Coordinates of all heavy atoms in Angstrom, one line a residue:
M1 N 0.9 -1.2 0.0 CA 0.0 0.0 0.0 C 0.9 1.2 0.0 O 1.6 1.5 1.0 CB -0.9 0.0 1.2 CG -1.8 1.2 1.4 SD -2.9 1.0 2.9 CE -4.1 -0.1 2.3
E2 N 0.9 2.0 -1.1 CA 1.7 3.2 -1.2 C 0.9 4.4 -1.1 O 0.1 4.7 -2.0 CB 2.5 3.2 -2.5 CG 3.6 4.2 -2.6 CD 4.5 4.1 -3.8 OE1 4.4 3.1 -4.5 OE2 5.2 5.0 -4.0
L3 N 1.0 5.0 0.1 CA 0.1 6.2 0.4 C 0.8 7.5 0.0 O 1.6 8.0 0.7 CB -0.2 6.2 1.9 CG -1.0 4.9 2.4 CD1 -1.0 4.9 3.9 CD2 -2.3 4.8 1.8
K4 N 0.5 7.9 -1.2 CA 1.1 9.2 -1.7 C 0.1 10.3 -1.5 O -1.1 10.1 -1.6 CB 1.4 9.0 -3.2 CG 2.4 8.0 -3.6 CD 2.6 8.0 -5.1 CE 3.7 7.0 -5.4 NZ 3.9 7.0 -6.9
P5 N 0.6 11.6 -1.4 CA -0.3 12.7 -1.3 C -1.2 12.8 -2.6 O -0.8 12.6 -3.7 CB 0.7 13.9 -1.3 CG 2.0 13.4 -0.8 CD 2.0 12.0 -1.3
G6 N -2.5 13.0 -2.3 CA -3.5 13.0 -3.4 C -4.0 11.7 -3.8 O -5.0 11.6 -4.5
S7 N -3.5 10.6 -3.3 CA -4.0 9.3 -3.7 C -5.3 9.1 -3.0 O -5.5 9.5 -1.8 CB -3.0 8.1 -3.4 OG -2.8 8.1 -2.0
R8 N -6.3 8.4 -3.6 CA -7.6 8.2 -3.1 C -7.8 6.7 -2.8 O -7.4 5.8 -3.5 CB -8.6 8.7 -4.1 CG -8.5 10.2 -4.4 CD -9.5 10.7 -5.3 NE -10.8 10.5 -4.7 CZ -11.9 10.9 -5.3 NH1 -11.9 11.5 -6.4 NH2 -13.1 10.7 -4.7
W9 N -8.5 6.5 -1.6 CA -8.7 5.1 -1.1 C -10.1 4.9 -0.7 O -10.8 5.9 -0.3 CB -7.7 4.9 0.1 CG -6.3 5.0 -0.3 CD1 -5.6 6.1 -0.4 CD2 -5.5 4.0 -0.8 NE1 -4.3 5.9 -0.9 CE2 -4.2 4.5 -1.1 CE3 -5.6 2.6 -0.9 CZ2 -3.1 3.8 -1.6 CZ3 -4.5 1.8 -1.4 CH2 -3.3 2.4 -1.7
K10 N -10.6 3.7 -0.8 CA -12.0 3.4 -0.4 C -12.0 2.2 0.5 O -11.1 1.4 0.5 CB -12.9 3.2 -1.6 CG -12.5 1.9 -2.4 CD -13.5 1.8 -3.6 CE -13.1 0.5 -4.4 NZ -13.9 0.4 -5.6
S11 N -13.0 2.2 1.3 CA -13.2 1.1 2.3 C -13.7 -0.2 1.5 O -14.4 -0.1 0.6 CB -14.2 1.5 3.3 OG -14.5 0.4 4.2
A12 N -13.3 -1.3 2.1 CA -13.7 -2.6 1.5 C -15.0 -3.1 2.2 O -15.6 -4.0 1.7 CB -12.6 -3.7 1.7
V13 N -15.5 -2.4 3.2 CA -16.6 -2.8 4.0 C -17.8 -1.8 4.1 O -18.8 -2.1 4.7 CB -16.2 -3.3 5.4 CG1 -15.4 -4.6 5.3 CG2 -15.5 -2.3 6.2
C14 N -17.5 -0.6 3.7 CA -18.6 0.5 3.8 C -18.4 1.5 2.7 O -17.5 1.3 1.8 CB -18.6 1.1 5.1 SG -17.2 2.2 5.5
T15 N -19.0 2.6 2.7 CA -19.0 3.6 1.7 C -17.9 4.7 1.9 O -17.8 5.6 1.1 CB -20.3 4.3 1.5 OG1 -20.7 4.9 2.8 CG2 -21.4 3.4 1.1
S16 N -17.1 4.6 2.9 CA -16.0 5.6 3.3 C -15.0 5.7 2.2 O -14.6 4.6 1.6 CB -15.3 5.2 4.6 OG -16.2 5.3 5.6
E17 N -14.6 6.9 1.9 CA -13.5 7.2 1.0 C -12.6 8.3 1.5 O -13.2 9.2 2.2 CB -14.0 7.6 -0.4 CG -14.7 6.5 -1.2 CD -15.2 7.0 -2.5 OE1 -14.8 8.1 -3.0 OE2 -16.0 6.2 -3.1
V18 N -11.3 8.2 1.3 CA -10.4 9.3 1.8 C -9.4 9.7 0.8 O -9.2 8.9 -0.2 CB -9.7 8.8 3.1 CG1 -10.6 8.5 4.2 CG2 -8.8 7.6 2.8
V19 N -8.8 10.8 1.0 CA -7.7 11.3 0.1 C -6.5 11.5 1.1 O -6.7 12.1 2.2 CB -8.1 12.7 -0.5 CG1 -6.9 13.2 -1.3 CG2 -9.3 12.5 -1.4
V20 N -5.3 11.1 0.7 CA -4.1 11.3 1.5 C -3.7 12.7 1.4 O -3.4 13.2 0.3 CB -3.0 10.3 1.1 CG1 -1.7 10.6 1.9 CG2 -3.5 8.8 1.3
V21 N -3.6 13.4 2.5 CA -3.1 14.8 2.6 C -1.6 14.8 2.8 O -0.8 15.5 2.2 CB -3.8 15.6 3.6 CG1 -3.3 17.0 3.8 CG2 -5.3 15.6 3.4
R22 N -1.2 14.0 3.8 CA 0.2 13.9 4.2 C 0.6 12.4 4.3 O -0.1 11.7 5.1 CB 0.5 14.6 5.5 CG 1.9 14.8 5.8 CD 2.1 15.7 7.0 NE 1.0 15.7 8.0 CZ 1.2 15.7 9.3 NH1 2.4 15.8 9.8 NH2 0.1 15.7 10.1
P23 N 1.6 11.9 3.6 CA 1.9 10.5 3.6 C 2.6 10.1 4.9 O 3.2 11.0 5.6 CB 2.8 10.3 2.4 CG 3.5 11.6 2.3 CD 2.4 12.6 2.6
P24 N 2.5 8.8 5.3 CA 3.2 8.4 6.5 C 4.8 8.4 6.3 O 5.2 8.3 5.2 CB 2.7 7.0 6.7 CG 2.3 6.5 5.4 CD 1.8 7.7 4.6
K25 N 5.5 8.5 7.4 CA 6.9 8.5 7.3 C 7.5 7.1 7.0 O 8.5 6.9 6.4 CB 7.5 8.9 8.7 CG 7.1 10.3 9.1 CD 7.5 10.6 10.5 CE 6.9 11.9 11.0 NZ 7.0 12.1 12.5
T26 N 6.7 6.0 7.4 CA 7.1 4.6 7.2 C 5.9 3.9 6.6 O 4.8 4.4 6.8 CB 7.6 3.9 8.5 OG1 6.5 4.0 9.4 CG2 8.8 4.6 9.1
P27 N 6.1 2.8 5.9 CA 4.9 2.1 5.4 C 4.0 1.6 6.5 O 4.4 1.1 7.5 CB 5.6 0.9 4.7 CG 7.0 1.3 4.4 CD 7.4 2.2 5.5
V28 N 2.7 1.9 6.2 CA 1.6 1.4 7.1 C 0.5 0.9 6.3 O 0.4 1.1 5.1 CB 1.1 2.6 8.0 CG1 2.2 3.1 8.9 CG2 0.5 3.7 7.2
S29 N -0.4 0.2 7.0 CA -1.7 -0.3 6.4 C -2.8 0.6 6.8 O -3.2 0.7 8.0 CB -1.9 -1.7 6.9 OG -3.2 -2.2 6.4
L30 N -3.4 1.3 5.9 CA -4.5 2.2 6.1 C -5.8 1.3 6.1 O -6.0 0.6 5.2 CB -4.6 3.3 5.1 CG -5.8 4.3 5.2 CD1 -5.8 5.0 6.5 CD2 -5.8 5.2 4.0
E31 N -6.6 1.4 7.2 CA -7.7 0.5 7.4 C -9.0 1.3 7.6 O -8.9 2.5 8.1 CB -7.5 -0.4 8.5 CG -6.2 -1.3 8.3 CD -5.8 -1.9 9.6 OE1 -6.4 -1.7 10.7 OE2 -4.8 -2.7 9.6
C32 N -10.1 0.7 7.3 CA -11.4 1.3 7.6 C -12.4 0.2 8.0 O -12.4 -0.8 7.2 CB -12.0 2.1 6.4 SG -13.6 2.9 6.7
G33 N -13.1 0.3 9.1 CA -14.0 -0.7 9.5 C -13.3 -2.0 9.9 O -13.9 -3.1 9.9
G34 N -12.0 -1.9 10.2 CA -11.2 -3.1 10.6 C -10.6 -3.9 9.5 O -10.0 -4.9 9.7
Q35 N -10.8 -3.4 8.2 CA -10.2 -4.1 7.1 C -9.3 -3.1 6.3 O -9.6 -1.9 6.2 CB -11.3 -4.6 6.1 CG -12.3 -5.5 6.8 CD -11.6 -6.9 7.2 OE1 -10.6 -7.3 6.6 NE2 -12.2 -7.5 8.2
P36 N -8.3 -3.6 5.6 CA -7.4 -2.7 4.8 C -8.3 -2.0 3.7 O -9.1 -2.6 3.1 CB -6.4 -3.6 4.1 CG -6.4 -4.8 5.0 CD -7.8 -4.9 5.6
M37 N -7.9 -0.7 3.4 CA -8.6 0.0 2.4 C -7.9 -0.3 1.0 O -6.8 -0.9 1.0 CB -8.5 1.5 2.6 CG -9.2 2.0 3.9 SD -9.2 3.8 4.1 CE -10.7 4.2 3.1
V38 N -8.7 -0.1 -0.1 CA -8.2 -0.4 -1.4 C -8.2 0.9 -2.2 O -8.9 1.8 -1.9 CB -9.0 -1.5 -2.1 CG1 -8.9 -2.8 -1.4 CG2 -10.5 -1.0 -2.2
A39 N -7.3 0.9 -3.2 CA -7.3 2.1 -4.1 C -8.6 2.3 -4.7 O -9.4 1.4 -5.0 CB -6.2 1.9 -5.2
L40 N -9.0 3.6 -5.0 CA -10.3 3.9 -5.4 C -10.7 3.2 -6.7 O -11.8 2.8 -6.9 CB -10.4 5.5 -5.6 CG -11.8 6.0 -5.9 CD1 -12.8 5.7 -4.8 CD2 -11.7 7.5 -6.2
A41 N -9.8 3.0 -7.6 CA -10.0 2.4 -8.9 C -10.1 0.9 -8.8 O -10.6 0.2 -9.7 CB -9.0 2.8 -9.9
A42 N -9.6 0.3 -7.7 CA -9.5 -1.2 -7.6 C -10.9 -1.7 -7.1 O -11.7 -1.0 -6.6 CB -8.5 -1.5 -6.5
T43 N -11.1 -3.0 -7.4 CA -12.3 -3.7 -6.9 C -12.1 -4.2 -5.5 O -11.0 -4.8 -5.2 CB -12.5 -4.9 -7.8 OG1 -12.6 -4.5 -9.2 CG2 -13.8 -5.7 -7.4
A44 N -13.0 -3.9 -4.7 CA -12.9 -4.3 -3.2 C -13.2 -5.8 -3.1 O -14.0 -6.3 -3.8 CB -14.0 -3.5 -2.4
P45 N -12.4 -6.4 -2.2 CA -12.6 -7.9 -2.0 C -14.0 -8.1 -1.4 O -14.5 -7.3 -0.7 CB -11.5 -8.3 -1.0 CG -10.9 -7.0 -0.5 CD -11.4 -5.9 -1.4
E46 N -14.6 -9.3 -1.8 CA -15.9 -9.6 -1.3 C -15.8 -10.5 0.0 O -14.8 -11.1 0.3 CB -16.7 -10.3 -2.4 CG -17.0 -9.5 -3.6 CD -17.9 -10.2 -4.6 OE1 -18.6 -11.1 -4.2 OE2 -17.8 -9.8 -5.8
G47 N -16.9 -10.5 0.8 CA -17.0 -11.3 1.9 C -16.5 -10.7 3.2 O -16.5 -11.4 4.2
L48 N -16.0 -9.5 3.2 CA -15.5 -8.8 4.4 C -16.6 -8.1 5.1 O -17.5 -7.6 4.5 CB -14.4 -7.8 4.0 CG -13.2 -8.4 3.3 CD1 -12.2 -7.3 2.9 CD2 -12.5 -9.4 4.2
E49 N -16.5 -8.1 6.4 CA -17.5 -7.4 7.2 C -17.0 -6.3 8.1 O -15.8 -6.3 8.5 CB -18.2 -8.5 8.1 CG -19.0 -9.5 7.4 CD -19.8 -10.4 8.3 OE1 -19.9 -10.1 9.5 OE2 -20.3 -11.4 7.8
L50 N -17.8 -5.3 8.4 CA -17.4 -4.2 9.3 C -17.2 -4.7 10.7 O -18.1 -5.4 11.2 CB -18.6 -3.2 9.2 CG -18.4 -1.9 10.0 CD1 -17.3 -1.0 9.4 CD2 -19.7 -1.1 10.1
S51 N -16.1 -4.4 11.3 CA -15.8 -4.8 12.6 C -16.5 -3.9 13.6 O -16.4 -2.7 13.5 CB -14.3 -4.7 12.9 OG -14.0 -4.8 14.3
P52 N -17.2 -4.4 14.6 CA -17.9 -3.6 15.6 C -16.9 -2.6 16.3 O -17.3 -1.6 16.8 CB -18.5 -4.6 16.6 CG -18.5 -5.9 15.9 CD -17.4 -5.8 14.9
D53 N -15.7 -3.0 16.5 CA -14.7 -2.2 17.1 C -14.3 -1.0 16.3 O -13.7 0.0 16.8 CB -13.4 -3.0 17.4 CG -13.7 -4.1 18.4 OD1 -14.6 -4.0 19.2 OD2 -12.9 -5.1 18.4
F54 N -14.5 -1.0 15.0 CA -14.2 0.1 14.1 C -15.4 0.6 13.3 O -15.4 0.7 12.1 CB -13.0 -0.3 13.1 CG -11.8 -0.6 13.8 CD1 -11.4 -1.9 14.2 CD2 -10.9 0.4 14.2 CE1 -10.2 -2.2 14.8 CE2 -9.7 0.1 14.8 CZ -9.4 -1.2 15.2
S55 N -16.5 0.8 14.0 CA -17.7 1.2 13.4 C -18.2 2.6 13.8 O -19.4 2.9 13.9 CB -18.8 0.2 13.7 OG -19.1 0.1 15.1
G56 N -17.2 3.5 14.2 CA -17.5 4.8 14.6 C -17.9 5.8 13.5 O -18.4 6.9 13.8
G57 N -17.6 5.4 12.3 CA -17.9 6.3 11.1 C -16.8 7.2 10.7 O -15.9 7.5 11.5
T58 N -16.9 7.6 9.4 CA -16.0 8.6 8.8 C -16.8 9.7 8.3 O -17.9 9.4 7.7 CB -15.2 7.9 7.7 OG1 -14.5 6.8 8.2 CG2 -14.2 8.9 7.0
A59 N -16.4 10.9 8.5 CA -17.2 12.1 8.1 C -16.5 12.8 6.9 O -15.3 12.8 6.8 CB -17.3 13.1 9.2
V60 N -17.4 13.4 6.0 CA -16.9 14.1 4.9 C -16.3 15.4 5.3 O -16.8 16.1 6.2 CB -18.1 14.4 3.9 CG1 -17.6 15.3 2.8 CG2 -18.6 13.1 3.3
G61 N -15.2 15.8 4.8 CA -14.5 17.1 5.0 C -13.7 17.2 6.3 O -13.2 18.2 6.7
K62 N -13.7 16.1 7.1 CA -12.9 16.0 8.3 C -11.5 15.4 8.0 O -11.4 14.5 7.2 CB -13.6 15.2 9.4 CG -15.0 15.8 9.8 CD -14.8 17.1 10.5 CE -16.1 17.7 10.9 NZ -16.0 19.0 11.6
R63 N -10.5 15.9 8.8 CA -9.2 15.4 8.6 C -8.9 14.4 9.8 O -9.2 14.7 10.9 CB -8.2 16.5 8.6 CG -8.3 17.3 7.3 CD -7.3 18.4 7.3 NE -7.4 19.2 6.1 CZ -6.5 19.4 5.2 NH1 -5.4 18.8 5.3 NH2 -6.8 20.1 4.1
Y64 N -8.2 13.3 9.5 CA -7.9 12.3 10.4 C -6.4 12.1 10.4 O -5.8 12.2 9.3 CB -8.6 11.0 10.1 CG -10.1 11.1 10.2 CD1 -10.8 11.5 9.1 CD2 -10.8 10.8 11.4 CE1 -12.2 11.6 9.2 CE2 -12.1 10.9 11.5 CZ -12.9 11.3 10.3 OH -14.2 11.4 10.4
F65 N -5.7 11.9 11.5 CA -4.3 11.9 11.5 C -3.7 10.9 12.6 O -4.4 10.5 13.5 CB -3.7 13.3 11.8 CG -3.8 13.8 13.2 CD1 -2.7 13.7 14.1 CD2 -5.0 14.2 13.7 CE1 -2.9 14.1 15.4 CE2 -5.2 14.7 15.0 CZ -4.1 14.6 15.8
D66 N -2.4 10.6 12.4 CA -1.7 9.8 13.4 C -0.3 10.5 13.5 O 0.4 10.6 12.5 CB -1.5 8.4 13.0 CG -0.7 7.6 14.1 OD1 0.5 7.6 14.0 OD2 -1.4 7.0 14.9
E67 N -0.1 11.2 14.6 CA 1.1 12.0 14.8 C 2.4 11.1 14.7 O 3.4 11.6 14.1 CB 1.1 12.6 16.2 CG 2.1 13.8 16.4 CD 1.7 15.0 15.5 OE1 0.6 15.3 15.4 OE2 2.7 15.5 14.9
A68 N 2.4 9.9 15.3 CA 3.6 9.1 15.3 C 4.0 8.7 13.8 O 5.2 8.7 13.5 CB 3.4 7.9 16.1
A69 N 3.0 8.3 13.0 CA 3.3 7.9 11.7 C 3.4 9.1 10.7 O 4.0 9.0 9.6 CB 2.2 7.0 11.2
G70 N 2.8 10.2 11.1 CA 2.9 11.4 10.2 C 1.8 11.4 9.2 O 1.8 12.3 8.3
L71 N 0.9 10.5 9.2 CA -0.2 10.3 8.2 C -1.3 11.3 8.5 O -1.7 11.5 9.7 CB -0.7 8.9 8.2 CG -1.9 8.6 7.3 CD1 -1.5 8.7 5.8 CD2 -2.6 7.3 7.6
E72 N -1.9 11.9 7.4 CA -3.1 12.7 7.5 C -3.9 12.4 6.3 O -3.4 12.5 5.2 CB -2.7 14.2 7.6 CG -4.0 15.1 7.8 CD -3.6 16.5 8.0 OE1 -2.5 16.8 8.6 OE2 -4.4 17.4 7.6
V73 N -5.2 12.1 6.5 CA -6.1 11.9 5.4 C -7.4 12.8 5.6 O -7.7 13.2 6.7 CB -6.6 10.4 5.3 CG1 -5.4 9.5 5.0 CG2 -7.3 9.9 6.6
L74 N -8.1 13.0 4.5 CA -9.3 13.8 4.4 C -10.4 12.9 4.0 O -10.3 12.3 3.0 CB -9.1 15.0 3.5 CG -10.3 15.8 3.2 CD1 -10.7 16.6 4.4 CD2 -10.1 16.8 2.0
G75 N -11.5 12.9 4.8 CA -12.7 12.1 4.4 C -13.4 12.8 3.2 O -13.7 13.9 3.2
S76 N -13.5 12.0 2.1 CA -14.1 12.5 0.9 C -15.5 11.9 0.7 O -16.3 12.4 -0.1 CB -13.2 12.3 -0.3 OG -13.0 10.9 -0.5
K77 N -15.8 10.9 1.4 CA -17.2 10.3 1.3 C -17.4 9.6 2.7 O -16.6 8.9 3.2 CB -17.2 9.2 0.2 CG -18.6 8.7 -0.1 CD -18.7 7.9 -1.3 CE -20.1 7.4 -1.6 NZ -20.1 6.5 -2.8
A78 N -18.6 9.9 3.3 CA -18.9 9.3 4.6 C -19.2 7.8 4.5 O -19.6 7.3 3.5 CB -20.1 10.1 5.1
G79 N -19.0 7.2 5.7 CA -19.3 5.8 5.8 C -19.4 5.3 7.2 O -19.1 6.1 8.1
K80 N -19.8 4.1 7.4 CA -20.0 3.6 8.8 C -18.7 3.2 9.5 O -18.6 3.1 10.7 CB -20.9 2.4 8.8 CG -22.4 2.8 8.4 CD -23.2 1.5 8.4 CE -24.7 1.9 8.0 NZ -25.6 0.8 8.1
G81 N -17.7 2.8 8.7 CA -16.4 2.4 9.3 C -15.5 3.5 9.8 O -15.6 4.6 9.2
S82 N -14.8 3.3 10.8 CA -13.8 4.3 11.3 C -12.4 3.9 10.8 O -12.1 2.8 10.5 CB -13.9 4.4 12.8 OG -13.7 3.1 13.4
L83 N -11.6 5.0 10.7 CA -10.3 4.8 10.1 C -9.2 4.4 11.2 O -9.3 4.8 12.3 CB -9.8 6.2 9.5 CG -10.8 6.7 8.4 CD1 -10.4 8.1 8.0 CD2 -10.7 5.7 7.2
A84 N -8.2 3.7 10.7 CA -7.1 3.2 11.5 C -5.9 2.9 10.7 O -6.0 2.8 9.5 CB -7.5 2.0 12.3
I85 N -4.7 2.9 11.3 CA -3.5 2.4 10.6 C -3.0 1.3 11.5 O -2.8 1.4 12.7 CB -2.5 3.5 10.4 CG1 -2.0 4.2 11.6 CG2 -2.9 4.4 9.3 CD1 -0.8 5.1 11.4
D86 N -2.7 0.2 10.9 CA -2.1 -1.0 11.6 C -2.9 -1.3 12.9 O -2.4 -1.7 13.9 CB -0.7 -0.8 11.9 CG 0.2 -0.6 10.7 OD1 -0.2 -1.2 9.6 OD2 1.2 0.1 10.7
G87 N -4.3 -1.2 12.8 CA -5.1 -1.5 13.9 C -5.3 -0.4 15.0 O -6.0 -0.6 16.0
K88 N -4.6 0.7 14.8 CA -4.6 1.8 15.8 C -5.5 2.9 15.2 O -5.3 3.4 14.1 CB -3.2 2.3 16.0 CG -3.2 3.5 17.0 CD -1.7 4.0 17.1 CE -1.7 5.3 17.8 NZ -0.5 6.0 17.7
P89 N -6.6 3.3 15.9 CA -7.5 4.3 15.4 C -6.9 5.6 15.1 O -6.0 6.0 15.8 CB -8.6 4.5 16.5 CG -8.5 3.2 17.3 CD -7.0 2.8 17.2
L90 N -7.3 6.3 14.0 CA -6.8 7.6 13.7 C -7.6 8.7 14.5 O -8.7 8.5 14.9 CB -7.0 7.9 12.2 CG -6.1 7.1 11.3 CD1 -6.4 7.5 9.8 CD2 -4.6 7.3 11.5
N91 N -6.9 9.8 14.8 CA -7.5 10.9 15.6 C -8.2 11.9 14.6 O -7.7 12.1 13.6 CB -6.4 11.6 16.4 CG -5.7 10.7 17.4 OD1 -6.4 10.0 18.2 ND2 -4.4 10.6 17.3
L92 N -9.2 12.5 15.1 CA -9.9 13.5 14.4 C -9.2 14.8 14.6 O -8.9 15.2 15.8 CB -11.4 13.6 14.8 CG -12.2 14.7 14.1 CD1 -12.3 14.4 12.6 CD2 -13.6 14.8 14.8
K93 N -8.8 15.5 13.5 CA -8.0 16.8 13.7 C -9.0 17.9 13.9 O -9.9 18.1 13.1 CB -7.2 17.0 12.4 CG -6.2 18.1 12.6 CD -5.3 18.1 11.4 CE -4.1 19.1 11.6 NZ -3.1 19.0 10.5
E94 N -8.8 18.6 15.0 CA -9.7 19.7 15.3 C -9.3 21.0 14.5 O -8.2 21.2 14.2 CB -9.6 20.0 16.8 CG -10.1 18.9 17.7 CD -11.5 18.6 17.6 OE1 -12.3 19.5 17.3 OE2 -11.8 17.4 17.7
A95 N -10.3 21.8 14.2 CA -10.0 23.0 13.5 C -9.3 24.0 14.4 O -9.5 24.1 15.6 CB -11.3 23.7 13.0
K96 N -8.3 24.7 13.8 CA -7.6 25.7 14.6 C -8.5 26.9 14.8 O -9.2 27.4 14.0 CB -6.3 26.2 13.8 CG -5.3 25.1 13.6 CD -4.1 25.6 12.9 CE -3.2 24.5 12.6 NZ -2.0 24.9 11.8
A97 N -8.4 27.4 16.1 CA -9.1 28.7 16.4 C -8.5 29.9 15.7 O -7.2 30.0 15.8 CB -9.1 28.8 17.9
L98 N -9.3 30.7 15.1 CA -8.7 31.9 14.5 C -8.7 33.0 15.5 O -9.6 33.1 16.4 CB -9.6 32.3 13.3 CG -9.7 31.3 12.1 CD1 -10.7 31.7 11.1 CD2 -8.3 31.1 11.5
P99 N -7.7 33.9 15.4 CA -7.7 35.1 16.3 C -8.9 36.0 16.1 O -9.4 36.1 15.0 CB -6.4 35.7 15.9 CG -6.0 35.3 14.6 CD -6.7 33.9 14.4
A100 N -9.3 36.6 17.1 CA -10.4 37.6 17.0 C -10.0 38.8 16.2 O -8.9 39.2 16.3 CB -10.8 38.0 18.4
S101 N -10.9 39.3 15.4 CA -10.6 40.5 14.6 C -11.5 41.6 15.0 O -12.6 41.8 14.5 CB -10.7 40.2 13.1 OG -12.0 39.7 12.9
D102 N -11.1 42.3 16.1 CA -11.9 43.3 16.6 C -11.9 44.6 15.8 O -11.2 45.2 15.3 CB -11.5 43.6 18.1 CG -11.8 42.4 19.0 OD1 -12.7 41.7 18.6 OD2 -11.1 42.3 20.0

């Protein structure tokens, strides 16, 4: 799995799709719903099910990251599966507060 900036990935178990914003420092397995994600143009394997442990959902327009790996992805299509790398859930990146303009 080569996660390059701008590459698009889809879940094998739900409708989630993401775009890589910042690639990881080392090779990792990007997962959704407890299963590895596949390239957007590829055919998803059949017979896989959404893991209850990774069913928190993915939101459109939200950024997800892992500080240790350096990975950051943007949700481009919502789905029931939650994102993870190598079985570790990704964190939701909060919006930065803008300074007041009095």
Side-chain angles (χ1 to χ4, degrees):
M1 175 177 284
E2 193 171 348
L3 301 171
K4 295 181 178 180
S7 62
R8 299 182 62 177
W9 299 85
K10 66 181 178 181
S11 173
V13 294
C14 70
T15 58
S16 296
E17 292 181 11
V18 298
V19 176
V20 175
V21 175
R22 191 171 29 140
K25 299 170 192 169
T26 59
V28 295
S29 174
L30 179 60
E31 302 165 355
C32 182
Q35 302 293 334
M37 295 187 85
V38 296
L40 189 62
T43 303
E46 294 184 26
L48 300 177
E49 293 186 14
L50 182 70
S51 168
D53 295 335
F54 294 96
S55 60
T58 301
V60 173
K62 298 293 183 183
R63 291 179 183 243
Y64 298 87
F65 73 102
D66 183 272
E67 196 67 43
L71 175 72
E72 184 175 329
V73 297
L74 173 68
S76 59
K77 189 172 180 184
K80 293 181 179 181
S82 55
L83 301 170
I85 56 169
D86 298 329
K88 179 183 168 196
L90 291 180
N91 300 307
L92 180 63
K93 191 170 190 176
E94 298 295 327
K96 293 180 184 176
L98 297 175
S101 58
D102 293 333

